[in-house]
Amino acid sequence: MPGSTGRSDEIADAAMPVFLRFGLRKTSMDDLARAAGLSRQGLYLHFKTKQDLFHASLERLVSRAEAEVAEALAQEDAPLQERVRDALTAVCGPAATTGSEVAIELLAVAGARGDSLLLDLERHVVDALTGALDRAGAPARHPGVSAEDLAHQLFAVASGVKHLTVVPPEDRDRHVRVAVHLLLGPPD
């Protein structure tokens, strides 16, 4: 974002939990200012609109998720299934505790801006998973299925789990674990 500062990053980080809790529409600049420990006027010195702050928050969230995915998959001493589960949890973690109505609204807003942040995140995660699955020989368990196919399926399941309304947020990680087990088998 233009003129990004350390303080702007702190504000963007403080804003995301508010957006995840209330959604963009129901979140006020007063709510965001309070979360950042600022007055509303102070907040406007850093961000002209609530949408600008949401976008900055989303950029930071995506950047952190990409780093956490890379870190999870780099743990070569851990079983592949654990690394994949941790990578998927890193991507879906913050949104997984969000009600599906709010998550759908935030995804729609992010997509409406016409930027590719979420598509880039998906590509990054699928590419990283593909590499890890290939290196571990995971496709050998599923003849005719490529590592990329497995990566897409794992990402799709994890993305879908975070939108389940009948499953309490605290149980969603278990569903990701089950999907990883079904697609990759038990830990080696």
Side-chain angles (χ1 to χ4, degrees):
M1 102 187 96
S4 179
T5 66
R7 183 61 176 136
S8 292
D9 289 345
E10 290 171 6
I11 294 166
D13 289 343
M16 186 50 77
V18 180
F19 287 127
L20 288 171
R21 182 169 182 199
F22 299 113
L24 186 70
R25 213 171 6 118
K26 292 181 182 177
T27 298
S28 70
M29 288 299 268
D30 285 327
D31 295 331
L32 296 166
R34 195 171 18 264
L38 294 170
S39 67
R40 195 172 57 165
Q41 294 79 10
L43 183 59
Y44 280 114
L45 291 174
H46 293 273
F47 297 95
K48 292 180 182 181
T49 68
K50 180 169 55 170
Q51 288 76 11
D52 289 344
L53 178 50
F54 173 70
H55 185 74
S57 295
L58 187 60
E59 283 179 334
R60 303 234 343 123
L61 186 70
V62 165
S63 177
R64 264 194 311 280
E66 288 176 347
E68 289 175 19
V69 165
E71 183 180 324
L73 294 174
Q75 303 300 319
E76 295 291 333
D77 56 326
L80 175 66
Q81 293 79 351
E82 184 180 318
R83 291 183 285 140
V84 167
R85 186 198 67 232
D86 289 350
L88 293 171
T89 300
V91 173
C92 300
T97 59
T98 302
S100 94
E101 229 176 78
V102 170
I104 289 168
E105 178 204 359
L106 294 177
L107 289 171
V109 169
R113 278 189 68 121
D115 67 49
S116 62
L117 272 176
L118 297 178
L119 288 173
D120 291 345
L121 174 62
E122 181 176 348
R123 278 188 214 102
H124 173 86
V125 173
V126 168
D127 288 348
L129 286 170
T130 299
L133 293 167
D134 256 340
R135 286 187 299 280
R141 293 183 178 164
H142 302 280
V145 177
S146 70
E148 184 177 11
D149 291 337
L150 284 172
H152 277 289
Q153 291 303 311
L154 287 161
F155 185 85
V157 169
S159 297
V161 163
K162 71 182 174 188
H163 295 294
L164 292 173
T165 56
V166 296
V167 176
E170 61 273 9
D171 289 345
R172 293 179 184 157
D173 183 56
R174 181 173 55 84
H175 290 278
V176 169
R177 220 175 13 258
V178 168
V180 169
H181 179 79
L182 289 172
L183 288 168
L184 300 181
D188 297 327

